[in-house]
Amino acid sequence: MRKILLIFVTIAFCSCKKSNTNYQTSDAMNNITVDTSIERKIDSLLKIMTLEEKVGQMNQYNGFWDATGPVPKKGNQAEKYEDLKKGLVGSMLNVRGVKQVKALQKIAVEETRLGIPLIFGFDVIHGFKTIAPIPLAESASWDLEIIEKSAKNAAEEAAAAGLNWTFAPMIDIYRDARWGRVMEGGGEDPYLGAKIAVARVHGFQGDDLSSSKTIAACAKHFAAYGFIESGREYNTVDIGTSTLYNTVFPPFKEVADAGVKTFMNAFNELNGIPATADTFLQREILKKDWNFKGFVISDWGSIGELVSHGYAKDLKKAAELAVKAGSDMDMESSAYVEELVSLVEEGTVDEKLLDDAVRRILRVKYELGLFEDPYRYCNEQNEQEVTGKKQFHEDALDIAKKSIVLLKNENDLLPIKKQGVKVAIIGALANDKTSPLGNWRLAAKEGTAISVVEGFQKYDGNSVNYAKGADLVIPNTEISMVQEVQVNTTDTSEFGEALSLAKKSDVVVMVLGEHGMQSGEARSRSTIDLPGVQQQLLEEVYKVNKNIVLVLMNGRPLAFPWAKEHVPAIVEAWQLGVESGNAIAQVLYGDYNPSGKLPMTFPKSLGQVPLYYNHKNTGRPVRDGNVFWSHYSDETNEPLYPFGYGLSYTQFSYDNLNVNVVGENEVQVSVKITNTGKVKGKEVAQLYIHDEYASVTRPIRELKGFELIELEPRESKTIEFKLTEKELGFYNNKGEFLVEPGKFNVFVGGDSKADLTNTFTLK
Ligand code: BGC
């Protein structure tokens, strides 16, 4: 019997060559299509799958043993191994490298009854082995082409290591710099966030998912994880419909429309319902309203966590609630593999729900070409050739330079002259070859980033000397994904050396900020200032030499009001990946003119958080002679640096802002931009609107267009933006999309405080 089945299934698989002309069923709502030939194959497969095998497809295990080593004999690993052989595993995460992947795939394909291939997932967040800038940094480029390319390279390198699927992009919108995961996303704005999200999905998935250079993407975390209370990791989310529809959903909706293959739900509860068990999110919105045809994976163990949330009394109930809500695959909580069979057998869960989940999972496996060739991503020679390719490094350098944001440049301290300058480099991060890789770099080697010191050493016209000044992290403490970083808050014993170096130098480049492991998952902070003794070091150095270029390395917005007031030049350099030091040196020496713009507001102090540009006006927005207006007694409402802000070594002016209503709910905006400075430069021209009165109040400004342009000195260019219903409308509290008549203000300029303005009225 077993043989007969295998033959049947083999035939079914062999006939599944990808046919691009076979996309017949399309939904009128959007461009989502299903391949009917694939659906027929899934039908046949579902017919012969046992209940256990269906559940197996919905189960994902973490990579658990050296797959090329001895077979585990005892304990949890042995049990997982047995499950794999029984066809009770549909996917694995954290397994990587062709040898490992191949060994496990071989078990799935050759030893299980149906031979259904596994899908291998991994957190390819900003590069795989060749680490690119952290996503927040890349987002500061506002350069969708290079963002897409970065994801494309990451996909190619990961695919060469046998992987088929990344748990990226993280497209949560957030406003709280305390949250460590702000480093992983596209910033605070839903419009920019959605554009970046789509670029990343295209980059990972390409036009042909079955190519051995592309991998399936995963939009995460659905939904509202970015709104956890007080920025504390895994905390509760309680937000209204307006924020949910207008701020949280847009990037998710856009990537669903763009054909992202998978979604991941979230650790948080949303208004009392854990996202993992939220039927409204997963079934109503995602699968019904947005017609999403891929599958939803839980977050790590989040089905099991329904018990801790106080939503399910035990693992069995958790499995029931999650599957009913539309979570198709269980990441590492074993709830499905342990409980789903009996839940179906006793009639609590309808088997049709499993069929739907399995169909979605198999669909993605078919689209990846895994049925056609389960080893299509497993070519060792290709792995060797592709890993760390020169081109990846060149692109990583390009995007690193484009991610840098120049925040201040008094008296043109920057760029630094290339000859005859005595440069002091100070700060532990300046010589750190790991922190610039940031968090989420599981496959990368420690110490593979070019440090700032190394970047500077490539320019030999100046004397360049380095002094640490102080440790950022207490020496000899363990630093890993699972440990807290122990920051040095007391030891200033090495200040002296740095001060004497600063004294005899012309320019002091101080590289300060956060350790690479101070942001990322479970890295919330209750302060957002310079950690440890760095502020003290900065102020001491300033006393002996005021010519400071402060280079910030950080995974979140930091508050540094003292530096803004005193230090003449400030450069936001995030965590820029492998080419970090080269990128920073090239920008500081003027070989690259910076053009990055902040994708997140930088607050003056933590007390202002959450601080974001697209807030509401309130009933008392301005001072009217007394204290009764919306403000703080001890702080202004203004940010340190606003969203969209960033300077260049040249200057740009904006004029001739024309706004015309050209059709029903269609507006054309044009503006002239001139490079008024002395060097060629790039500018991100930004368009904001404000709907003055609406049935649901609108933010004081909303980004609705941007364009990256390059201009020679004295060159001008007129650019045009088009506003359509999509940009002019909003969701009301019933989730209905409305475009309302009335007056709108338009603002165009180089940041969210742009003051060139005009108006239009929709009839
Ligand atoms: C994170 C996810 C990630 C998963 C797998 C979880 O802790 O929240 O974003 O994809 O782990 O590593």
Side-chain angles (χ1 to χ4, degrees):
M1 178 62 184
R2 184 164 179 230
K3 260 201 184 126
I4 297 172
L5 269 177
L6 275 174
I7 291 164
F8 175 82
V9 172
T10 311
I11 293 166
F13 291 171
C14 289
S15 60
C16 76
K17 284 241 181 314
K18 186 172 182 297
S19 143
N20 287 326
T21 51
N22 210 1
Y23 290 92
Q24 291 157 359
T25 315
S26 97
D27 190 274
M29 298 258 296
N30 49 31
N31 295 324
I32 294 160
T33 51
V34 290
D35 182 334
T36 47
S37 78
I38 288 182
E39 299 309 301
R40 280 197 302 272
K41 283 165 202 148
I42 297 173
D43 289 340
S44 340
L45 201 43
L46 277 171
K47 275 191 202 130
I48 57 167
M49 288 175 85
T50 63
L51 186 52
E52 283 79 4
E53 285 162 341
K54 289 178 187 172
V55 172
Q57 286 305 304
M58 298 165 71
N59 180 34
Q60 184 187 61
Y61 279 150
N62 186 33
F64 44 89
W65 88 102
D66 175 8
T68 55
V71 168
K73 293 271 182 297
K74 281 202 297 266
N76 175 272
Q77 296 190 351
E79 280 167 30
K80 284 181 168 180
Y81 175 68
E82 284 308 312
D83 281 356
L84 179 58
K85 285 209 304 190
K86 284 187 223 147
L88 297 182
V89 184
S91 170
M92 300 200 55
L93 81 152
N94 287 338
V95 177
R96 59 184 183 275
V98 165
K99 264 198 187 135
Q100 298 287 325
V101 168
K102 217 175 185 176
L104 292 166
Q105 190 69 295
K106 199 159 182 280
I107 300 174
V109 172
E110 292 179 17
E111 297 189 38
T112 68
R113 192 180 73 101
L114 295 177
I116 300 176
L118 295 165
I119 172 172
F120 290 89
F122 195 84
D123 290 284
V124 185
I125 307 294
H126 52 115
F128 177 61
K129 283 202 187 274
T130 311
I131 296 298
I134 56 169
L136 185 64
E138 288 195 352
S139 305
S141 73
W142 296 52
D143 184 333
L144 301 175
E145 244 172 66
I146 186 78
I147 289 173
E148 181 172 334
K149 191 187 263 179
S150 184
K152 183 171 176 271
N153 290 348
E156 188 184 338
E157 203 179 39
L163 298 170
N164 330 117
W165 177 24
T166 174
F167 306 123
M170 187 190 99
I171 59 176
D172 298 304
I173 298 298
Y174 41 72
R175 297 165 170 175
D176 194 326
R178 288 171 293 187
W179 191 38
R181 298 195 82 164
V182 304
M183 57 82 59
E184 260 181 84
E188 74 187 31
D189 181 66
Y191 180 87
L192 175 64
K195 298 271 180 217
I196 290 173
V198 171
R200 290 198 167 124
V201 168
H202 279 151
F204 288 129
Q205 296 191 167
D207 298 328
D208 176 9
L209 199 62
S210 71
S211 148
S212 56
K213 290 183 175 183
T214 57
I215 56 180
C218 179
K220 71 188 190 184
H221 303 86
F222 201 56
Y225 188 24
F227 281 77
I228 46 172
E229 282 174 3
S230 57
R232 201 189 75 211
E233 188 62 289
Y234 312 130
N235 207 358
T236 304
V237 177
D238 203 320
I239 57 169
T241 326
S242 183
T243 304
L244 191 60
Y245 276 92
N246 292 295
T247 306
V248 172
F249 281 166
F252 287 102
K253 164 95 170 68
E254 294 274 324
V255 293
D257 287 349
V260 69
K261 293 298 162 191
T262 71
F263 262 56
M264 184 183 292
N265 56 37
F267 287 130
N268 57 283
E269 68 164 67
L270 172 62
N271 305 333
I273 315 289
T276 302
D278 195 326
T279 309
F280 161 73
L281 287 176
Q282 296 171 101
R283 290 214 184 273
E284 289 294 308
I285 297 292
L286 178 61
K287 292 180 178 173
K288 186 168 140 274
D289 291 358
W290 299 350
N291 192 29
F292 173 65
K293 299 286 185 223
F295 69 89
V296 180
I297 176 142
S298 79
D299 203 342
W300 179 288
S302 69
I303 298 181
E305 288 175 16
L306 296 177
V307 179
S308 315
H309 274 291
Y311 195 66
K313 72 174 189 312
D314 53 25
L315 196 65
K316 185 166 185 180
K317 190 69 187 173
E320 176 197 333
L321 291 168
V323 78
K324 285 184 172 166
S327 293
D328 301 310
M329 189 181 274
D330 174 3
M331 184 193 285
E332 249 314 284
S333 83
S334 295
Y336 284 180
V337 74
E338 282 175 26
E339 309 291 352
L340 273 188
V341 170
S342 56
L343 281 164
V344 172
E345 279 171 355
E346 68 200 32
T348 313
V349 167
D350 189 338
E351 192 170 346
K352 286 205 184 90
L353 293 184
L354 274 62
D355 289 345
D356 176 61
V358 174
R359 174 180 296 280
R360 290 167 179 277
I361 294 162
L362 295 178
R363 188 180 285 144
V364 175
K365 290 186 179 183
Y366 271 111
E367 288 172 341
L368 280 163
L370 288 170
F371 280 102
E372 209 180 357
D373 177 6
Y375 306 108
R376 87 179 319 139
Y377 298 82
C378 294
N379 177 329
E380 278 174 68
Q381 196 191 330
N382 183 54
E383 182 179 31
Q384 270 189 7
E385 283 165 15
V386 169
T387 305
K389 252 188 1 190
K390 193 162 158 253
Q391 185 64 45
F392 296 159
H393 281 264
E394 284 169 11
D395 292 341
L397 175 61
D398 187 32
I399 182 127
K401 288 188 285 192
K402 289 174 172 164
S403 304
I404 290 175
V405 185
L406 179 64
L407 294 174
K408 188 177 174 191
N409 192 18
E410 224 170 59
N411 305 325
D412 292 338
L413 184 59
L414 288 173
I416 301 169
K417 290 197 184 58
K418 289 180 190 160
Q419 298 286 336
V421 183
K422 280 182 269 166
V423 180
I425 303 183
I426 294 176
L429 285 170
N431 209 19
D432 189 333
K433 290 174 65 62
T434 301
S435 270
L437 300 175
N439 206 331
W440 287 117
R441 50 169 168 83
L442 274 173
K445 276 209 189 99
E446 304 261 305
T448 49
I450 306 284
S451 71
V452 175
V453 171
E454 288 169 331
F456 264 77
Q457 279 162 352
K458 297 198 176 142
Y459 289 81
D460 53 14
N462 285 335
S463 82
V464 176
N465 290 294
Y466 171 68
K468 181 167 61 180
D471 283 307
L472 171 53
V473 171
I474 299 176
N476 305 322
T477 49
E478 193 185 333
I479 294 169
S480 73
M481 281 284 285
V482 295
Q483 302 289 332
E484 299 289 358
V485 172
Q486 308 290 323
V487 173
N488 165 31
T489 54
T490 52
D491 183 3
T492 58
S493 59
E494 291 176 70
F495 273 25
E497 192 197 340
L499 296 182
S500 48
L501 175 63
K503 235 185 251 173
K504 54 184 192 223
S505 303
D506 301 316
V507 176
V508 187
V509 175
M510 294 197 69
V511 185
L512 306 178
E514 297 182 307
H515 186 272
M517 282 292 157
Q518 279 189 285
S519 55
E521 186 178 346
R523 308 287 167 166
S524 297
R525 288 183 62 201
S526 72
T527 55
I528 51 166
D529 45 14
L530 289 169
V533 295
Q534 296 181 103
Q535 178 67 32
Q536 205 184 328
L537 175 64
L538 177 62
E539 292 185 26
E540 291 295 320
V541 171
Y542 184 78
K543 282 183 199 154
V544 300
N545 190 338
K546 296 195 171 21
N547 273 345
I548 297 177
V549 178
L550 172 60
V551 175
L552 292 161
M553 273 191 190
N554 41 306
R556 55 161 63 73
L558 296 177
F560 42 90
W562 185 91
K564 184 183 175 186
E565 199 186 325
H566 296 91
V567 173
I570 306 178
V571 172
E572 176 52 75
W574 318 101
Q575 288 141 354
L576 294 174
V578 273
E579 293 290 334
S580 187
N582 286 337
I584 293 168
Q586 289 179 26
V587 165
L588 265 50
Y589 274 126
D591 282 341
Y592 189 83
N593 186 357
S595 57
K597 302 276 188 178
L598 297 178
M600 224 184 144
T601 303
F602 274 41
K604 282 184 177 161
S605 59
L606 184 66
Q608 296 177 308
V609 170
L611 186 69
Y612 48 99
Y613 86 94
N614 49 354
H615 59 83
K616 300 292 182 72
N617 210 28
T618 81
R620 295 187 182 190
V622 287
R623 184 168 175 184
D624 190 15
N626 56 38
V627 296
F628 299 104
W629 68 291
S630 179
H631 75 297
Y632 301 101
S633 314
D634 55 357
E635 182 62 278
T636 72
N637 290 351
E638 290 305 305
L640 190 68
Y641 291 106
F643 173 83
Y645 180 83
L647 304 171
S648 157
Y649 294 148
T650 189
Q651 294 79 40
F652 299 95
S653 74
Y654 289 74
D655 56 72
N656 291 358
L657 175 58
N658 290 308
V659 179
N660 292 305
V661 179
V662 290
E664 199 190 341
N665 298 336
E666 198 175 315
V667 179
Q668 251 169 18
V669 178
S670 68
V671 68
K672 190 172 121 204
I673 306 165
T674 307
N675 179 348
T676 57
K678 295 196 181 75
V679 290
K680 185 163 127 178
K682 282 190 181 165
E683 167 75 334
V684 183
Q686 301 158 45
L687 165 83
Y688 296 85
I689 63 166
H690 173 221
D691 182 351
E692 281 196 346
Y693 301 98
S695 57
V696 179
T697 62
R698 308 302 309 134
I700 59 151
R701 282 185 187 197
E702 294 176 272
L703 180 73
K704 292 296 176 184
F706 63 89
E707 196 175 321
L708 181 61
I709 54 164
E710 184 164 32
L711 294 174
E712 297 288 341
R714 289 177 300 284
E715 187 188 352
S716 296
K717 199 172 167 188
T718 295
I719 57 167
E720 288 186 357
F721 298 99
K722 194 159 104 185
L723 298 169
T724 63
E725 286 201 347
K726 196 171 168 195
E727 288 80 31
L728 298 168
F730 61 89
Y731 289 90
N732 69 10
N733 289 341
K734 291 187 202 134
E736 296 158 344
F737 191 74
L738 306 174
V739 183
E740 292 184 345
K743 189 174 160 207
F744 288 70
N745 303 307
V746 176
F747 307 88
V748 179
D751 62 54
S752 59
K753 295 279 181 194
D755 52 12
L756 183 64
T757 182
N758 207 329
T759 60
F760 65 88
T761 302
L762 290 186
K763 298 265 172 355

